[in-house]
Amino acid sequence: MLTTDDIVYLKGVGPSKAKVLAAELDIHTAGDLLEHIPYRYIDRSVMSTVANLTEDNALAVLRGTVNNMQTASLGPRRERLTVDFHDGTGTIQLVWFAGTKWARERLKPNVEYLVIGKPTLYNGSWQISHPELEPYSSVGDDRHPLLPVYNTTEKMKQHGLGTRALARITESLLANLAPVAETIPTDIIQKFRLMGRDQALRAIHYPDSPQQLEAARTRLKFEELFFLQLDYQWAHSERQLHSEGRIFPHVGDCFNRFYNEKLPFPLTGAQKRVVREVREDMRSGHQMNRLIQGDVGSGKTLVALMCMLLALDNGCQACLMAPTEILATQHYQTFVRMLDGIGIRTELLIGSVRPTEKRRIKAGMMSGEVQIVIGTHALIEDDVHFRDLGLVVIDEQHRFGVEQRSKLWSKATPPPHILVMTATPIPRTLAMTLYGDLDCSIIDELPPGRHPVKTYHRTEPRRPLVFNFLKQQIDAGRQVYFVYPLIHESEKMDLKDLEDGLEMVQNYFPRPHYATSMVHGQLTAEGKAFEMERFKQGKTQIMVATTVIEVGVDVPNATVMVIENAERFGLSQLHQLRGRVGRGGEQSYCILMTKDNLSYTSKERIRTMCSTTDGFEIAEADLRLRGPGDIQGLQQSGVLDLKLASIVDDEPLVRATRDEVHDLLASDPTLAAHPLLARYIEHSKNKMLWGKIS
């Protein structure tokens, strides 16, 4: 049998089960089944017993006999089947609410069975609902001491496709399968002493020993990571070889006047390094495709502005696209203030701009009179055109879809240079996997005069002390944020909502001595702008808000951030919110308010926030706690759909495969000496890469 053969022809499957496998696990061919890897193994030398069961047992494997079968009606065409199972040390009850006819016909007294399931206590007695069960004599001989356990679904179990059935079908496949073709070049296999692919795929299902299982897992993990790296680094190599880029050789009046006359503070060493890297990209003849990572408050916006001035010095226009009107407006105000007196026309193009004003701005963009334009999604509308767009800056790029981003740089020929920024640090292990096709720059220093924000965890009994501290800060002329996870009260979640929060804050901080603003996502753009401006000008001392202020709100006088129900936020979001304070010269504080009884994960998040302000350290912790699937919305992209490898736990393999692919492409950029890999690239050319920006 070949890996490309339809699963329907495999012994033990047939049309009905093939349909279920396709619907539930996307298994269509023998190869698909082969790559449905067991998630654990049963060591038959270490069986559980009824006497030693605990509620900590994620899965129990028992060997014994059955008797005392009883059926109880649960209504029309519904019944419950219970059976006593004995293993010599005690009795446990097996329960079925579906498939009772199948179980009744299958179970026989005086036959020894293997039972697999999650034991639970019910009315003081142990039971297993819908266990995996089959005669012990059918589970194979001692050639395979480790029996595979596969992920299944309830629907699969109802169609006789539980984990043991999958194991039998897979064993039948392996007995009839032709040798599986190799995918990795022989020299790499030998260099890393990897198991062959055919042997690894067989051993991953039925290993002869723990050592053989580990060797098989290492080989298959290496393969997953190797081809992931190859995808990205090949894209990067192709861009370097073939992408036509505008050449910006000049550093002229715009850049020099700003640097000499308008720079608000001396650049940090990290900022200088990133500007140099961008400068080299812009005069290389290749299209720049660079990611700038920088913690909140590290000065990314200033670097972006200086890079935009380089584009202007070479006769081109530049634009910056931000995800929200609040952030776009803030960037616009910052740029206008910084560029005052230099004679650079800068405009703001957002949805709430009046139609007559939009027409004026668009005409200026087409004529080239508008040199810098800052906007939101309004920049990618079909009737927006530039005379000569040379640089695109995208802030918080992960908030825009690939199609949205591509619309912007398709507005110029040849395409503009691309600079993307994120204040959400990406874990180093993830970045070196996902951004193989991007050049990465990191701003890892804070500007002089900035103090790290002090972070504290407080629970409800200490709220009066927290509010007394806030009064001291406000009386000293400072301002305060309160952030809530909801707008309206929810019956399903015990969270403090914004409206109740506003009432509580106003009770503690009454008018006329204190003034409060409120901002949330359901306000109109004009309403948000009005409330934000009042807070920014100091007309209100307290801002009560949802996470709409997570990105881009810059009020240097705000020194305290109180986050209510902080356990409901992810680490990256908490870090982003904390970044709204500490933007001036005064010491700032973040107070995480939570309930008393926190889960382990919530405790770890809060502990991490209180122990460090390093965004990269926080990102690494977030990756460990959540896994890579959720970071930056990657779950939806499918890029990290890894069956075995873990970006967190297998960092040495991530590094090894990255370095190997880098060296391979450096010595053989066209893969002429590696036909296996060349064929792979040919088949995967149309695959969408999440990190690919242009």
Side-chain angles (χ1 to χ4, degrees):
M1 192 170 197
L2 302 175
T3 55
T4 53
D5 288 347
D6 195 310
I7 198 72
V8 73
Y9 301 114
L10 185 61
K11 181 181 177 183
V13 181
S16 175
K17 289 180 178 177
K19 189 175 180 180
V20 175
L21 286 169
E24 297 295 295
L25 296 179
D26 201 25
I27 291 175
H28 303 270
T29 66
D32 294 338
L33 179 62
L34 201 60
E35 294 185 11
H36 183 58
I37 306 298
Y39 74 92
R40 69 183 298 274
Y41 299 83
I42 298 168
D43 186 346
R44 288 191 295 174
S45 66
V46 189
M47 289 281 188
S48 304
T49 63
V50 174
N52 64 19
L53 289 178
T54 70
E55 289 189 274
D56 293 332
N57 284 105
L59 204 67
V61 183
L62 303 166
R63 178 180 178 181
T65 57
V66 299
N67 67 5
N68 194 24
M69 188 181 299
Q70 296 183 11
T71 303
S73 175
L74 298 177
R77 304 181 65 181
R78 294 185 62 224
E79 63 180 11
R80 180 183 69 235
L81 175 67
T82 58
V83 177
D84 289 340
F85 179 87
H86 315 272
D87 71 348
T89 71
T91 301
I92 187 170
Q93 198 169 64
L94 310 181
V95 184
W96 285 266
F97 297 94
T100 54
K101 181 181 178 184
W102 170 87
R104 266 200 317 271
E105 293 173 351
R106 182 149 186 186
L107 294 173
K108 308 292 181 188
N110 302 318
V111 173
E112 199 169 36
Y113 291 96
L114 182 76
V115 167
I116 306 168
K118 165 67 179 168
T120 57
L121 276 173
Y122 181 71
N123 288 338
S125 300
W126 288 109
Q127 68 172 218
I128 297 178
S129 296
H130 293 268
E132 297 274 356
L133 182 146
E134 64 181 293
Y136 187 79
S137 59
S138 69
V139 299
D141 56 39
D142 292 333
R143 288 181 302 112
H144 301 301
L146 298 174
L147 298 177
V149 180
Y150 298 91
N151 279 319
T152 60
T153 67
E154 197 59 43
K155 186 175 180 181
M156 288 174 63
K157 291 176 185 177
Q158 292 170 10
H159 286 78
L161 285 169
T163 184
R164 296 308 313 141
L166 279 181
R168 284 196 303 274
I169 293 169
T170 304
E171 191 171 24
S172 172
L173 169 62
L174 294 175
N176 295 283
L177 186 68
V180 179
E182 188 52 77
T183 55
I184 296 178
T186 304
D187 57 333
I188 296 177
I189 291 174
Q190 292 173 345
K191 177 180 178 179
F192 290 93
R193 299 179 181 178
L194 299 173
M195 184 181 279
R197 189 165 199 264
D198 180 76
Q199 184 186 2
L201 283 170
R202 294 173 188 272
I204 200 73
H205 292 281
Y206 281 96
D208 292 333
S209 66
Q211 293 76 20
Q212 189 189 49
L213 173 61
E214 187 56 34
R217 289 176 65 84
T218 298
R219 154 61 208 236
L220 296 175
K221 286 179 181 181
F222 185 97
E223 180 177 311
E224 282 187 313
L225 294 169
F226 179 85
F227 285 106
L228 193 63
Q229 296 285 357
L230 184 60
D231 277 333
Y232 285 98
Q233 293 194 42
W234 173 266
H236 181 273
S237 175
E238 283 289 284
R239 181 170 56 81
Q240 291 293 326
L241 287 171
H242 303 300
S243 66
E244 179 186 1
R246 296 162 179 265
I247 298 177
F248 291 170
H250 306 297
V251 178
D253 191 53
C254 292
F255 185 94
N256 286 325
R257 284 193 64 191
F258 177 81
Y259 188 82
N260 294 319
E261 301 172 18
K262 297 293 184 179
L263 204 62
F265 48 76
L267 296 180
T268 64
Q271 287 174 311
K272 291 178 180 177
R273 183 186 68 246
V274 172
V275 171
R276 283 196 301 270
E277 290 168 349
V278 170
R279 171 100 174 89
E280 287 302 313
D281 285 348
M282 286 179 160
R283 60 185 181 187
S284 68
H286 301 294
Q287 183 197 21
M288 179 175 70
N289 200 14
R290 183 167 289 277
L291 169 74
I292 295 181
Q293 293 187 74
D295 223 332
V296 284
S298 62
K300 295 181 301 301
T301 304
L302 179 59
V303 168
L305 174 56
M306 295 176 73
C307 296
M308 295 167 87
L309 295 176
L310 287 171
L312 269 58
D313 278 337
N314 288 272
C316 290
Q317 296 162 290
C319 76
L320 185 152
M321 185 163 73
T324 66
E325 292 199 355
I326 287 178
L327 183 52
T329 302
Q330 180 188 298
H331 281 318
Y332 171 71
Q333 293 169 344
T334 300
F335 281 23
V336 168
R337 185 178 71 250
M338 286 184 173
L339 296 173
D340 182 42
I342 297 183
I344 294 172
R345 184 175 166 188
T346 305
E347 296 285 359
L348 176 67
L349 187 63
I350 56 179
S352 58
V353 169
R354 290 191 179 93
T356 53
E357 182 72 359
K358 276 186 182 177
R359 286 194 292 272
R360 183 187 69 81
I361 294 170
K362 290 175 183 177
M365 291 165 64
M366 282 193 69
S367 69
E369 294 173 25
V370 173
Q371 296 158 283
I372 293 177
V373 62
I374 297 158
T376 54
H377 299 78
L379 288 171
I380 61 177
E381 292 174 359
D382 292 339
D383 63 343
V384 173
H385 303 284
F386 295 82
R387 181 182 65 81
D388 191 9
L389 180 62
L391 173 64
V392 170
V393 179
I394 299 177
D395 197 11
E396 295 300 321
Q397 62 91 19
H398 63 278
R399 295 181 174 226
F400 296 100
V402 173
E403 187 178 353
Q404 289 174 318
R405 298 196 299 259
S406 65
K407 277 185 178 180
L408 190 52
W409 48 86
S410 65
K411 292 180 180 290
T413 304
H417 293 297
I418 309 299
L419 191 65
V420 295
M421 303 191 297
T422 179
T424 306
I426 299 155
R428 291 172 178 86
T429 49
L430 198 60
M432 68 186 179
T433 302
L434 287 181
Y435 292 113
D437 74 320
L438 278 176
D439 298 304
C440 293
S441 295
I442 295 176
I443 303 178
D444 50 8
E445 298 176 59
L446 287 178
R450 291 280 177 90
H451 302 288
V453 178
K454 292 182 179 180
T455 304
Y456 300 99
H457 174 213
R458 297 291 183 260
T459 53
E460 199 60 35
R462 302 188 70 179
R463 183 175 293 277
L465 294 176
V466 170
F467 277 32
N468 285 337
F469 173 70
L470 299 183
K471 284 184 177 179
Q472 292 170 15
Q473 287 286 304
I474 294 171
D475 291 345
R478 310 290 169 229
Q479 290 167 283
V480 173
Y481 293 104
F482 279 86
V483 177
Y484 290 82
L486 296 175
I487 296 175
H488 303 291
E489 185 177 1
S490 167
E491 294 179 359
K492 295 182 179 178
M493 291 192 291
D494 180 24
L495 306 181
K496 293 195 173 296
D497 66 275
L498 193 68
E499 293 173 335
D500 278 354
L502 179 65
E503 184 178 341
M504 177 182 67
V505 168
Q506 288 177 336
N507 285 336
Y508 271 92
F509 302 94
R511 298 186 181 103
H513 190 62
Y514 301 97
T516 304
S517 291
M518 183 169 74
V519 172
H520 55 77
Q522 293 182 11
L523 282 180
T524 63
E526 292 83 359
K528 289 179 196 171
F530 174 76
E531 291 294 335
M532 284 306 309
E533 194 58 30
R534 286 208 307 150
F535 187 64
K536 198 168 185 177
Q537 292 178 7
K539 294 178 179 177
T540 60
Q541 301 99 342
I542 302 168
M543 168 64 73
V544 178
T546 59
T547 55
V548 70
I549 66 159
E550 177 186 344
V551 173
V553 176
D554 189 3
V555 182
N557 192 49
T559 57
V560 187
M561 164 73 67
V562 180
I563 304 176
E564 299 283 358
N565 290 108
E567 72 274 11
R568 303 295 302 191
F569 296 91
L571 262 175
S572 293
Q573 196 172 33
L574 288 172
H575 184 59
Q576 281 284 335
L577 288 167
R578 178 169 62 184
R580 297 309 101 210
V581 294
R583 307 181 78 85
E586 300 296 326
Q587 179 62 58
S588 293
Y589 307 87
C590 179
I591 300 171
L592 307 176
M593 298 295 299
T594 74
K595 60 184 181 182
D596 288 313
N597 54 330
L598 298 179
S599 68
Y600 168 79
T601 301
S602 295
K603 286 178 182 176
E604 282 298 297
R605 280 201 296 267
I606 301 300
R607 184 196 62 76
T608 300
M609 285 293 297
C610 292
S611 65
T612 183
T613 57
D614 184 324
F616 289 96
E617 189 176 331
I618 286 168
E620 293 284 351
D622 205 15
L623 184 61
R624 286 194 302 273
L625 288 171
R626 294 166 60 193
D630 247 3
I631 301 284
Q632 303 275 327
L634 293 176
Q635 197 87 48
Q636 297 174 359
S637 74
V639 168
L640 287 186
D641 186 19
L642 299 172
K643 291 182 171 68
L644 281 174
S646 163
I647 299 299
V648 181
D649 301 328
D650 296 312
E651 184 175 344
L653 274 181
V654 173
R655 293 184 181 277
T657 52
R658 180 198 60 182
D659 294 345
E660 183 63 23
V661 170
H662 178 272
D663 293 346
L664 186 149
L665 290 176
S667 62
D668 183 17
T670 64
L671 297 177
H674 295 85
L676 271 179
L677 303 183
R679 282 198 296 274
Y680 168 82
I681 288 295
E682 190 61 36
H683 287 137
S684 64
K685 272 184 179 176
N686 294 325
K687 194 160 47 175
M688 174 59 74
L689 302 180
W690 181 84
K692 193 171 177 61
I693 300 301
S694 64

